[in-house]
Structures are given as structure tokens and as C-alpha cells.
Amino acid sequence: MKSKRKLLFRLIALLLIIGIAAWMFVIGRGHTIYFDNKPLEANGETYSSPYQIQVLVDGESVCKLKEGDRGMATTMGQDFEMILAITQEKDAKKQGVKVSLKLPYNMDGIIINLPALLGGASEDVYRSEFIQTVVEEDDEQAPTGSDEFEMPMGDE
Amino acid sequence: MNKSGKTKFNLGSFLRRSSVPIMFIIICAFCIPLSGLSPSYLINEIVTRMGRNAFLILSLLIPIMAGMGLNFGMTLGAMAGEIGLILASDWQIIGIPGMILAMILSIPISILLGLFCGKILNMAKGREMITSYIMAFFINGVYLFVVLYMMGSVIPIKHNNIKLPRGYGIRNTVSLLSMRQKLDNLIPLTINGVKIPVATFIVIAVLCLFIMWFRRTKLGQDMRAVGQDMEVARDAGINVERTRIISIIMSTILAGIGMIIYLQNMGNIATYSSHSQIGMFCIAALLVGGASVDKASIGNVFLGVILFHLMFIVAPKAGAAITGDSMIGEYFRVFVSYAVITIALIMYETSKRKQKKMGGEALRQAQLEEEKK
């Protein structure tokens, strides 16, 4: 009886830990979002870019994008909220727009075309995956390097 | 002991027991003015280093309680923590959730390594420290095999900024920018320009409370009994081997979690070297705090971190001020780290022999008295 109860407690603890790990997977998934203020043509429609878009995430200005600029921000989780302060033309008044997006779990880098997003385009038009280009490098020698505790006479 | 049951204060024995901290206080008192570093800078550095290292050093207390000496095998836990962090980084789990996931991933690895280490140490009773020290080198080879050859080929690693350009193996340095000081800055607090990592200190405080509570549990009492005398503990019905293995497993798990806290503060993993000296320096810090091979307390941990790291900060500058070469200070602090471990081991061995001799002497006296009768 006692051993059964012990086993049950252990099983519950194990399940709890697995549950926490799974929860961390969901809430902790990081994404890098790239904001493009570039004109876009898709499905026969043209989305022209405004003079300037300022992107604010969590109340902090992440980037100010003139036409043709790209900015980026890092976010955690799949729900992303930002405020876009749009200046349509030079010296014009800023207009604030609150945008909420659902980010796909499997994408590390996500490009969002802001003019298309603001123009009401569909998700597959304004959103695309950022794929990092692989740069050929020389093989680095792995087991070296240091931290503050490294001994000057280390391996000798 | 006096009539009221309190131990009489003995200055000689106090000085003998506290010789290492006193020596360090003198060194620091001598080096601080020479270094020219401002008090606020020193306090800032000490607070940061306390948050970074205290958890790791606390992980050493449990094996000492169980009479297994200084656990040089804590490096095994550090390796498990690093593996957890590498995987969490590759899966792009960032911030505090990334740290928690890394901790969860490190736990089963730490349990396996701790179990293995504990079983080996049970075969080498009385020689635990040297065995765990050598074991750390052995497991480092296994770690290299896993990280350098299996990751990317057998264990999937997706991101090129983690993988070596050849397609398998992990780079020299893995960036933890997405986790950097997330725990330290979780509850931001600055007092007079001194940044206090409140959340990290809360985690450390929880561990301190856990250790204090654990000492009073049945298992904690068993560990203390085993630490005092294995044979007596065995006669009392305690499963000595199992208790010793549990103490090593606990230490390894805590070392893994401590390594994650340490690395989140640093902001990157030196994949092949971060863990290599960590055991040595944590042990040195604990000994500097006045601990010995068979006795250590939470107070020793904090005093050790303060004194040892104060010496770490001021020694290069003081060395440069005295000799014009900061490398002298660097060598000095390395020399002192090894020296303090050596002194502690010699003192332990001397007191053990002294006790043995005194025991023998008492036995001889008893036999003589018996013969007289």
C-alpha cells in the first residue's frame, strides 16, 4: 500500500515536471520579427509604404522605419502585440494603430510587411519566413576559449 | 563545556579553524587600497558574483554533510546544465522559460551522472575527493564526445549559429543573449548605484531554506549519521551506500541548476571550458569561507564568495600597482586558489591523524588502567 502511494506520488511529480516543460515550450518560444516598410505587389494589388512607421512593442520604441527600411524585434510566445505609429507623409500627423498577431510556432524568423498588413492583405501576403543564408566558414577549432575562471597556466 | 552546557570559547582553536578566512581578510585589506577600485564598484561586483556563484557553492554542502568531502564531481552537474542550455537555445526557448526548460532537461542527466558517480565513490570509500576529481576528467571526455560529435549528427541541432560549420558538433561559444541576466533582472532593484539581482537571491534563499529543512528530515539525519561514522550508521540500520548515492545525486542536480544560473549571468557558454574549472573554484571559495573537508555551513558559502571574489577582483590591479604587471596578480590569485585547497586538505589530514592518535592514546590508557586493576 505504502509503496503504491510512493509510486503514485513519483508518477504525479514526473507528470508535473513534464507538464511544466511542455508549458515552457509553448510560452517560451522565441521569435525574431522583421518589420518591412517596403511597397509590395501581390494578387494584383499594390500596397504602398507610408513615409515613416514607428513600431512600439511593450510601450517601447523598437524601430523607426522610413520607406524601404527593415527593423527587428525579439518576442516570446505566439501572441504578439504592437502599436504602429504611422506618418503617411512628411510633416503629417502620426496615426496610432494597435495590431495583434498570432505567430506560427515553427518559424524562428518572421518577416512582416507592414504596408500589406495595414492594407488588410491576407496572412500569407504580409507574412513570410526569414531564412538565414548559410555563410561558408572555415572549421573553427572547438575545444578552446575562456571564461573568467580560466587559469593562465590552464592545461599545462 | 561549562555547567550551562555551552561550549567555552577557545581563542586558539578559533584561530586555527578560521586561519584561512583570516588570511584572506588580511590579503584583501592589503590589496584593496592598492587596487584603487572604488567601494561602490567593489560592492557591485561582489553582489553580482554572489548571485552568480552562491547556488553552485551551496551544492557542495550536502556531500560534506554525508561525509563524502568536497565534491569535485560537481563538474558533472555543470556539464548537464550546459547540455540543457544548448538544447533550450537550439529549440529557441528564451528568457526565464528557457532557463526553466534547461533546468528540467539537466535534471535527468544529472541524476544519471550522480548515480554513476555515487556508485563509483561507494567503491572508493575514504578516497572520495580524488576519485570524484578524476571522474570529472573522465566524464569530460564523454561530454566532449556528446557535444563535439553526437550533437548535430545523432542529436538533432537545427541552428547554424550553434553548430560548427562542418555540420556537427557545437561551437566554442554559444550565445545566451536571449537569456542573459533574465533572472537577475526579473525584479529590478538598484540601491545607491548597486544593482541587486533580487530574483536570483530569492532562488538562493529558497535553496538555503531547503538545506536547513533537509538537515532536519530523516534523510538529512541519516546523512549526518553516515558522515560522522559509517559503521555506527550501518549498525543503526541506515542504508549507508544508498544515502551516500542520494547525497551525490542531489549535489549533482543542484550543480546543474547552479551552472544554468551562472551562465545566464555570463550571457554565453564557453562550451568546452565553462565547466572545467568550476568545481575547483567553488571548492576554493567554500574553503576560503572557513569550511573544512568534513564541516561546512551556509555562512561559509557567503563568507567564501565575498572573500574569494574580492581577492579575485582586486588581485590583478594590486599586482599591477606593486609590480607594474597585472599578470602577477593573475598568477597570484590562481596560486592562492590552489594553495587554499592544499592547505585545507593538509589540515584535514593532520586533524584526522591527530584524532586517530588521540583515540589510540585513550585506548592505551584504558588498557593500562585495566591492567593495574
Side-chain angles (χ1 to χ4, degrees):
Chain A
M1 186 66 194
K2 205 179 172 188
S3 68
K4 260 188 183 175
R5 219 172 67 175
K6 209 170 169 182
L7 188 75
L8 187 74
F9 276 127
R10 281 181 185 174
L11 216 68
I12 290 169
L14 185 72
L15 286 174
L16 190 73
I17 290 172
I18 293 171
I20 294 170
W23 188 41
M24 293 303 129
F25 258 103
V26 176
I27 64 161
R29 177 69 161 100
H31 302 276
T32 308
I33 303 176
Y34 299 89
F35 308 102
D36 275 358
N37 185 14
K38 293 173 186 173
L40 184 76
E41 269 191 39
N43 305 334
E45 277 202 57
T46 308
Y47 303 97
S48 56
S49 49
Y51 170 72
Q52 190 184 57
I53 304 175
Q54 185 181 4
V55 183
L56 294 109
V57 180
D58 294 328
E60 276 184 38
S61 176
V62 173
C63 51
K64 277 182 184 173
L65 308 169
K66 295 246 168 90
E67 195 183 329
D69 284 352
R70 170 175 281 183
M72 60 169 273
T74 314
T75 184
M76 198 165 76
Q78 278 68 66
D79 297 312
F80 179 66
E81 270 190 12
M82 61 179 168
I83 294 170
L84 301 175
I86 306 151
T87 314
Q88 286 295 351
E89 277 168 28
K90 200 177 178 183
D91 301 325
K93 247 189 157 184
K94 274 183 187 174
Q95 267 183 307
V97 180
K98 195 175 174 182
V99 181
S100 299
L101 296 173
K102 206 88 181 134
L103 304 175
Y105 188 89
N106 59 336
M107 284 188 194
D108 289 340
I110 302 162
I111 304 170
I112 294 182
N113 187 287
L114 296 177
L117 174 74
L118 293 167
S122 62
E123 219 169 55
D124 55 322
V125 173
Y126 72 73
R127 193 183 73 195
S128 54
E129 188 173 2
F130 178 85
I131 296 160
Q132 224 167 4
T133 46
V134 181
V135 184
E136 287 295 323
E137 307 165 64
D138 290 333
D139 246 16
E140 65 179 288
Q141 285 297 311
T144 54
S146 69
D147 64 3
E148 61 157 346
F149 280 157
E150 189 84 331
M151 301 265 177
M153 63 275 215
D155 301 317
E156 286 162 28
Chain B
M1 263 212 237
N2 59 18
K3 277 177 189 172
S4 60
K6 283 179 186 170
T7 316
K8 229 181 178 179
F9 179 74
N10 185 334
L11 185 70
S13 100
F14 171 76
L15 287 176
R16 209 168 32 250
R17 271 188 289 116
S18 314
S19 55
V20 178
I22 290 169
M23 189 176 81
F24 264 75
I25 290 169
I26 294 166
I27 292 171
C28 290
F30 177 70
C31 288
I32 289 169
L34 283 174
S35 71
L37 296 168
S38 68
S40 66
Y41 173 80
L42 287 176
I43 294 168
N44 232 327
E45 280 292 309
I46 290 295
V47 169
T48 308
R49 282 160 189 260
M50 196 180 281
R52 191 191 291 164
N53 294 286
F55 201 103
L56 271 168
I57 305 172
L58 282 165
S59 75
L60 291 167
L61 295 186
I62 292 172
I64 292 176
M65 203 162 89
M68 300 181 82
L70 303 159
N71 180 22
F72 285 93
M74 69 174 287
T75 312
L76 276 57
M79 289 178 212
E82 282 175 18
I83 291 174
L85 276 174
I86 291 170
L87 293 175
S89 292
D90 186 51
W91 297 336
Q92 292 280 300
I93 312 299
I94 64 171
I96 299 283
M99 279 181 67
I100 295 172
L101 183 68
M103 286 172 188
I104 291 173
L105 290 170
S106 79
I107 289 171
I109 305 170
S110 293
I111 290 174
L112 280 177
L113 291 174
L115 186 70
F116 175 68
C117 186
K119 286 205 178 238
I120 299 280
L121 294 186
N122 272 345
M123 292 177 199
K125 285 192 193 102
R127 295 279 179 275
E128 286 92 351
M129 282 190 284
I130 183 67
T131 312
S132 62
Y133 186 63
I134 296 301
M135 181 107 71
F137 285 109
F138 163 54
I139 298 295
N140 189 39
V142 179
Y143 171 82
L144 281 180
F145 175 67
V146 171
V147 174
L148 204 51
Y149 293 101
M150 285 175 76
M151 283 194 170
S153 54
V154 180
I155 303 164
I157 297 290
K158 196 175 145 197
H159 293 93
N160 290 321
N161 57 345
I162 293 176
K163 246 188 313 195
L164 284 166
R166 67 179 182 205
Y168 62 92
I170 302 299
R171 282 175 190 266
N172 243 336
T173 310
V174 175
S175 170
L176 295 178
L177 212 61
S178 57
M179 287 182 210
R180 188 168 183 261
Q181 295 182 359
K182 291 285 177 198
L183 183 66
D184 296 343
N185 297 333
L186 189 64
I187 306 170
L189 177 69
T190 308
I191 301 170
N192 290 335
V194 178
K195 213 175 111 190
I196 308 202
V198 179
T200 313
F201 282 157
I202 290 172
V203 173
I204 292 165
V206 168
L207 180 60
C208 291
L209 290 173
F210 169 76
I211 291 170
M212 283 158 70
W213 166 80
F214 181 74
R215 275 187 180 152
R216 293 195 187 109
T217 60
K218 162 84 173 67
L219 187 59
Q221 298 282 358
D222 286 358
M223 277 185 194
R224 285 163 78 174
V226 170
Q228 272 163 17
D229 196 315
M230 265 189 273
E231 291 314 312
V232 174
R234 189 171 282 119
D235 290 344
I238 298 169
N239 188 341
V240 173
E241 278 69 29
R242 183 176 170 270
T243 311
R244 283 162 57 93
I245 289 174
I246 291 172
S247 82
I248 289 291
I249 290 176
M250 284 176 76
S251 173
T252 315
I253 292 172
L254 293 175
I257 296 170
M259 192 65 183
I260 292 165
I261 293 172
Y262 172 85
L263 290 172
Q264 67 84 36
N265 179 276
M266 302 288 279
N268 63 61
I269 313 172
T271 316
Y272 303 100
S273 61
S274 276
H275 56 272
S276 60
Q277 296 294 341
I278 209 84
M280 192 66 78
F281 282 90
C282 286
I283 286 165
L286 186 64
L287 294 173
V288 166
S292 65
V293 175
D294 54 354
K295 201 174 173 208
S297 67
I298 292 168
N300 296 140
V301 172
F302 291 102
L303 182 64
V305 174
I306 293 170
L307 291 177
F308 188 68
H309 284 277
L310 199 56
M311 196 267 301
F312 246 75
I313 301 159
V314 296
K317 291 264 179 190
I322 297 166
T323 62
D325 185 1
S326 65
M327 277 314 283
I328 299 288
E330 292 276 344
Y331 282 116
F332 176 71
R333 66 184 191 182
V334 173
F335 150 75
V336 169
S337 311
Y338 283 116
V340 77
I341 296 174
T342 314
I343 290 168
L345 295 178
I346 292 169
M347 277 165 65
Y348 172 67
E349 204 55 42
T350 315
S351 73
K352 214 165 81 174
R353 282 186 190 176
K354 208 172 159 186
Q355 271 177 5
K356 218 173 173 181
K357 202 178 157 190
M358 277 162 70
E361 202 68 35
L363 195 71
R364 197 173 69 92
Q365 283 287 343
Q367 278 175 344
L368 280 173
E369 277 172 25
E370 195 92 346
E371 279 170 20
K372 273 180 193 171
K373 278 178 192 173

